[in-house]
Amino acid sequence: MQIKTHTASDYAAAQRALLPPGAAFDWPANGFGDALLKGMGAEPTRIGGDAQIVLDGAIEAHRPKYGHWHISEYRRIAQEAIAGVTEAPRKKACIGSKIGSRLWSAALPAFPVDLLRVDHLVGPARVGCRVGDHLWSTRGRYVLRVRYYSSVVHPKLLWDALSAFKQAHVYLWFEDITGAGGSYGQN
């Protein structure tokens, strides 16, 4: 949106048009009355010059950053945040193993473990909800449950990526896949 800019002379002409008719206000060009009106038009001219900058900034600040916030987009953002994070190889449980070491039986076949799961939003009850839907208080926020494998994925990576992407009414709930829950950061 483009704002039309005006000069001090434009504002002076507009003010002159508001004056009552009569010889008292028939001021000569570049005289005292003309200088007074142009001086009064200087401030609106200065403010009008900055108005376009303010308007452009306001439009940009309120422009949606993303076209949509589907669960698939949240999952994509989370997966991109942990791209490159790999699971450390598991060791066979043996004498001398330490608490917290990733242990596994060598007799079991190796299988991939999901490092991350982003569950669908749990939201407030609304028209069209069915029995069995996950519901929340009507004044509640949508809850996005982010389940991660704590010994491999650091939740700060996920927090930074998802909090930059999420909408204001979405609450991020971080939960270790092993079952220890809680929120990370502040929503």
Side-chain angles (χ1 to χ4, degrees):
M1 176 180 200
Q2 208 54 30
I3 295 177
K4 183 179 178 190
T5 57
H6 299 282
T7 65
S9 296
D10 294 336
Y11 285 107
Q15 292 177 61
R16 183 174 284 119
L18 294 174
L19 293 174
F25 300 108
D26 288 338
W27 294 324
N30 298 325
F32 172 76
D34 189 49
L36 177 69
L37 293 177
K38 283 183 182 175
M40 289 172 44
E43 185 63 10
T45 301
R46 185 187 68 79
I47 292 172
D50 293 339
Q52 186 67 50
I53 297 167
V54 172
L55 179 65
D56 291 343
I59 290 171
E60 192 57 38
H62 293 92
R63 184 184 311 276
K65 292 180 184 153
Y66 306 99
H68 60 302
W69 283 268
H70 292 260
I71 189 68
S72 60
E73 289 297 308
Y74 281 103
R75 288 179 178 142
R76 181 185 61 78
I77 296 291
Q79 288 296 338
E80 287 175 0
I82 65 166
V85 174
T86 57
E87 186 177 5
R90 298 180 181 113
K91 303 176 200 166
K92 180 180 176 184
C94 60
I95 297 174
S97 295
K98 297 176 186 168
I99 295 175
S101 297
R102 296 175 46 77
L103 305 177
W104 205 259
S105 170
L108 294 175
F111 59 91
V113 176
D114 289 336
L115 299 180
L116 172 71
R117 278 198 321 226
V118 178
D119 294 335
H120 206 290
L121 298 170
V122 178
R126 65 188 190 289
V127 174
C129 288
R130 297 181 306 271
V131 174
D133 283 352
H134 294 276
L135 302 178
W136 204 255
S137 162
T138 55
R139 291 180 284 172
R141 300 160 116 188
Y142 285 86
V143 177
L144 181 64
R145 185 171 66 170
V146 181
R147 301 185 79 207
Y148 60 96
Y149 207 151
S150 68
S151 62
V152 180
V153 177
H154 193 280
K156 182 161 180 15
L157 295 171
L158 297 169
W159 171 260
D160 291 343
L162 289 172
S163 63
F165 177 76
K166 77 176 185 74
Q167 293 168 290
H169 64 277
V170 173
Y171 182 84
L172 296 174
W173 177 263
F174 282 76
E175 184 177 287
D176 179 15
I177 285 179
T178 59
S183 62
Y184 181 84
Q186 295 193 357
N187 287 297

